[in-house]
């Protein structure tokens, strides 16, 4: 995926960071268990957030088990026992979304990256087929994200919100998938606004490259001929609304073990990441 | 729905300002921020929804009274059609509200149409379209407080709203700061022949 949804470490307590690492490392282990050793290279922070926020609706009382990473020279690698259904879902989504991203790279990227994407797609395509077998409804949602996005980009009348809506709606369905009705509605709202935030952040991050290569970029279409500062200012306003709305919905969810970490991500981490991208872009002007 | 005036605790003769003041008081009292992590949050939010509906109903009725005659002169729309759209919005029927809005011919799209369209867009999470519609409504009726409030609400959402947890980086005064300041003050006083803190 994109890796934009991260914690803001300066505001996190050590024991909270250990919990966060435990979710991240357990997801890595699940990828290896379900799809093989190489699948762990697809691991990212966005899906760690998804697993954590879904797991937060249940009671997670098990302490982290202190283990060592078999792939990183014995670095500490805490593990969270139990709750395999959440990690399995997260692992399936990781490979499904990675497969869609590679399909996108094969059509959009430069020659070398296209070739690399084709090579990587061999194993990822196989893993994706396996994930589709176990999670057919989830695979259908991921396919719909891609088709709706394409439809929005190719529509005769461009609508900025419609383009963002395709990804945001998909994210809301993925986050709330198979949850009980009372929490599904709130999770849909968190998912929609975090999804919209990710889509717009990615558009902002890729803005200069897309304009240079004449590729579709919703911000470039929305603000034709605008300067980098104007695009950054517009994007920032949209991103702040997304964070605000996601936080409002999140605040109504029941508290759980990971609430402080999720609070850190939504209240601090998202803004920190978007500020980093905006600073990089506007420093080029 | 209950009598909207009773919900806001005002008389039917209350002025617009009195109604707005009563609404603000009740909105503060039942604001979700006061009920975070409280098992009664749902009840507070239901109460807040009731207050918002009462406020909308009172002002919609008052506006219709003020504008009675001008809607029938302009033709088919803007009267009952907007009432139905507003009802759909209150009940969360956004798709129906959108369909009713789309049925209004372009020449008959008043400021109110753009405002309600903005509300539907906002509910769907289409914030760029929502802002454009609110801006159009505010431009068509610059004196309308409701449309200006909608614009201000969007402006507030678009700026950083104090998301961060209170900073622990040292800004502000700690106990050490207080103590050392008092000691310094005591030393200064003693130099000038007086004593701020007699025990040291």
């Amino acid at each position: 995926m994109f890796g934009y949804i991260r914690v803001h470490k300066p505001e996190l307590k050590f024991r909270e960071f250990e919990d966060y690492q435990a979710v991240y490392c357990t997801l890595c282990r699940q990828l290896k268990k379900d799809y093989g050793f190489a699948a762990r290279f697809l691991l990212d922070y966005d899906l760690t957030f998804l697993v954590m926020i879904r797991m937060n609706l249940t009671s997670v009382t098990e302490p982290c088990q202190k283990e060592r990473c078999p792939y990183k020279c014995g670095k500490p690698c805490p593990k969270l026992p139990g709750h395999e259904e959440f990690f399995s879902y997260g692992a399936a989504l990781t490979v499904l979304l990675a497969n869609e991203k590679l399909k996108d790279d094969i059509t959009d990227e430069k020659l070398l990256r296209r070739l690399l994407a084709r090579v990587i797609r061999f194993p990822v395509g196989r893993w994706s087929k396996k994930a589709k077998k176990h999670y057919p409804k989830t695979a259908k949602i991921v396919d719909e994200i891609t088709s709706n996005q394409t439809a929005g980009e190719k529509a005769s009348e461009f609508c900025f919100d419609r383009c963002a809506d395709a990804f945001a709606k998909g994210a809301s369905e993925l986050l709330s998938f198979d949850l009980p009705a009372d929490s599904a509605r709130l999770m849909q709202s968190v998912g929609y606004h975090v999804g919209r935030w990710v889509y717009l952040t990615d558009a902002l991050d890729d803005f200069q490259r897309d304009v240079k290569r004449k590729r579709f970029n919703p911000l470039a279409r929305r603000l034709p001929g605008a300067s980098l500062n104007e695009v950054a200012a517009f994007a920032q306003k949209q991103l702040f609304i997304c964070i605000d709305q996601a936080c409002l919905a999140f605040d109504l969810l029941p508290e759980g073990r990971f609430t402080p970490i999720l609070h850190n991500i939504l209240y601090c981490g998202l803004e920190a990441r978007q500020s980093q991208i905006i600073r990089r872009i506007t420093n080029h002007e | 729905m209950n009598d909207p005036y009773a919900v806001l605790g005002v008389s039917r003769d209350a002025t617009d300002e009195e109604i707005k003041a009563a609404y603000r008081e009740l909105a503060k009292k039942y604001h979700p921020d006061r009920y975070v992590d409280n098992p009664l949050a749902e009840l507070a939010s239901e109460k807040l929804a009731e207050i918002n509906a009462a406020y909308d109903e009172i002002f919609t009725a008052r506006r219709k009274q003020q504008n009675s005659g001008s809607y029938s002169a302009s033709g088919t729309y803007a009267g009952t059609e907007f009432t139905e759209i507003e009802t759909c919005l209150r009940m969360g029927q956004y798709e129906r509200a959108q369909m009713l809005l789309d049925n209004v011919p372009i020449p008959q799209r008043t400021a109110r149409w753009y405002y309600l369209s903005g509300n539907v867009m906002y509910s769907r999470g289409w914030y760029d379209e929502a802002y454009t519609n609110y801006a159009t409504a505010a431009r068509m009726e610059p004196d309308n407080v409701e449309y200006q409030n909608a614009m201000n609400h969007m402006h507030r959402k678009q700026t950083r709203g104090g998301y961060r947890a209170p900073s622990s980086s040292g800004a502000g005064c700690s106990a050490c700061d207080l103590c050392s300041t008092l000691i310094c003050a005591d030393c200064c006083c003693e130099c000038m022949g007086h004593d701020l803190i007699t025990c040291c």
Side-chain angles (χ1 to χ4, degrees):
Chain A
M1 269 281 283
F2 305 98
Y4 292 122
I5 307 174
R6 303 187 187 196
V7 289
H8 186 55
K9 274 194 203 166
E11 300 281 358
L12 212 57
K13 292 188 176 127
F14 275 110
R15 62 173 162 76
E16 288 164 2
F17 186 67
E18 193 185 58
D19 266 355
Y20 178 69
Q21 255 191 320
V23 177
Y24 183 81
C25 295
T26 311
L27 183 58
C28 176
R29 287 189 174 81
Q30 193 69 42
L31 273 164
K32 190 217 163 206
K33 183 181 173 192
D34 291 353
Y35 303 102
F37 165 83
R40 50 175 287 275
F41 289 107
L42 301 176
L43 178 64
D44 77 21
Y45 298 111
D46 297 351
L47 275 302
T48 306
F49 167 78
L50 180 139
V51 169
M52 202 180 326
I53 197 170
R54 285 171 58 87
M55 222 169 21
N56 203 42
L57 296 172
T58 62
S59 169
V60 183
T61 52
E62 300 85 349
C64 298
Q65 290 168 356
K66 293 195 193 311
E67 294 191 6
R68 296 272 164 191
C69 182
Y71 315 112
K72 284 188 182 174
C73 307
K75 262 177 81 174
C77 174
K79 180 185 162 182
L80 200 62
H83 308 280
E84 193 172 324
E85 67 276 22
F86 293 102
F87 290 103
S88 207
Y89 177 70
L93 260 183
T94 303
V95 303
L96 288 168
L97 290 166
N99 191 46
E100 288 305 313
K101 180 87 175 61
L102 284 169
K103 274 200 249 178
D104 202 39
D105 285 352
I106 286 169
T107 47
D108 285 348
E109 287 291 340
K110 274 181 163 175
L111 177 64
L112 199 62
R113 245 187 117 142
R114 274 207 317 265
L115 286 172
L116 192 63
R118 279 187 198 277
V119 166
I120 297 172
R121 237 197 118 207
F122 278 119
V124 175
R126 256 195 352 259
W127 301 332
S128 175
K129 276 199 185 110
K130 186 178 174 187
K132 267 186 196 165
K133 232 193 284 186
H134 291 109
Y135 296 93
K137 288 182 191 167
T138 309
K140 190 159 174 269
I141 295 170
V142 172
D143 287 338
E144 276 168 5
I145 292 175
T146 311
S147 55
N148 290 340
Q149 256 185 286
T150 309
E153 288 169 15
K154 295 198 163 115
S156 51
E157 205 177 307
F158 171 74
C159 175
F160 177 78
D161 287 320
R162 189 183 303 281
C163 292
D165 186 72
F167 189 84
K169 222 168 179 175
S172 83
E173 288 175 31
L174 292 173
L175 214 78
S176 62
F177 182 75
D178 232 13
L179 290 178
D182 53 349
S183 38
R185 198 177 140 214
L186 290 168
M187 290 288 267
Q188 276 167 3
S189 183
V190 174
Y192 186 90
H193 294 103
V194 171
R196 185 179 162 98
W197 183 89
V198 168
Y199 180 81
L200 295 181
T201 305
D202 185 53
L204 186 63
D205 204 9
D206 290 345
F207 178 78
Q208 288 163 293
R209 205 173 56 171
D210 290 342
V211 165
K212 197 174 167 186
R213 294 182 194 168
K214 294 189 172 44
R215 284 196 314 216
F216 174 85
N217 184 289
L219 289 169
R221 284 290 297 271
R222 175 67 177 79
L223 304 162
S227 66
L228 280 175
N229 278 334
E230 285 164 346
V231 168
F234 172 80
Q236 187 168 55
K237 286 180 189 171
Q238 293 291 323
L239 291 168
F240 274 136
I241 298 178
C242 295
I243 296 177
D244 182 75
Q245 297 291 88
C247 291
L248 284 175
F250 171 73
D251 281 346
L252 290 169
L253 284 168
E255 285 236 332
R257 174 164 167 179
F258 304 119
T259 297
I261 306 169
L262 295 163
H263 189 280
N264 173 285
I265 292 173
L266 291 171
Y267 278 80
C268 306
L270 299 189
E271 192 192 337
R273 191 73 183 101
Q274 89 189 33
S275 299
Q276 204 178 25
I277 294 169
I278 287 170
R279 264 196 311 273
R280 177 179 58 80
I281 287 177
T282 51
N283 282 342
H284 272 120
E285 274 229 309
Chain B
M1 192 190 152
N2 296 331
D3 175 30
Y5 290 93
V7 168
L8 294 183
V10 294
S11 73
R12 288 187 173 271
D13 307 325
T15 62
D16 286 358
E17 285 313 312
E18 283 169 354
I19 293 173
K20 284 176 186 171
Y23 167 78
R24 276 194 292 269
E25 278 306 312
L26 288 168
K28 263 192 251 179
K29 186 178 173 188
Y30 292 109
H31 198 278
D33 282 353
R34 295 191 66 231
Y35 287 84
V36 169
D37 301 330
N38 189 309
L40 300 173
E42 178 87 347
L43 298 175
S45 113
E46 280 171 20
K47 192 72 189 166
L48 189 62
E50 196 187 352
I51 290 160
N52 285 333
Y55 179 88
D56 285 342
E57 194 178 320
I58 290 174
F59 277 97
T60 305
R62 288 190 175 200
R63 211 177 296 113
K64 261 169 65 172
Q65 233 174 4
Q66 281 167 10
N67 295 338
S68 61
S70 65
Y71 286 154
S72 52
S74 69
T76 328
Y77 289 98
T80 53
E81 285 294 332
F82 284 176
T83 313
E84 194 182 347
I85 293 167
E86 283 165 14
T87 307
C88 287
L89 278 169
R90 266 200 302 277
M91 292 170 66
Q93 295 168 355
Y94 304 119
E95 283 182 18
R96 178 156 171 75
Q98 184 65 63
M99 185 202 72
L100 290 169
L101 283 164
D102 289 342
N103 285 343
V104 176
I106 294 174
Q108 292 180 30
R109 290 180 182 178
T110 61
R112 189 88 193 140
W113 185 94
Y114 284 101
Y115 170 71
L116 293 173
S117 194
N119 284 349
V120 171
M121 291 296 163
Y122 190 92
S123 308
R124 288 168 74 176
W126 290 28
Y127 302 115
D128 189 38
E129 293 288 310
Y131 185 83
T132 306
N133 282 306
Y134 288 144
T136 307
R139 210 172 40 245
M140 289 170 83
E141 277 185 33
D143 296 331
N144 191 304
V145 172
E146 206 176 356
Y147 308 160
Q148 283 301 326
N149 285 344
M151 290 276 291
N152 294 339
H153 176 75
M154 292 238 41
H155 283 140
R156 274 197 302 276
K157 293 277 184 186
Q158 285 170 348
T159 52
R160 188 175 164 276
Y163 296 122
R164 299 228 174 114
S167 169
S168 53
S169 61
C173 203
S174 70
C176 289
D177 292 330
L178 278 169
C179 212
S180 49
T181 308
L182 281 169
I183 290 169
C184 288
D186 183 47
C187 290
C188 290
C189 279
E190 281 172 8
C191 288
M192 286 185 271
H194 295 279
D195 197 2
L196 181 66
I197 304 168
T198 51
C199 55
C200 65

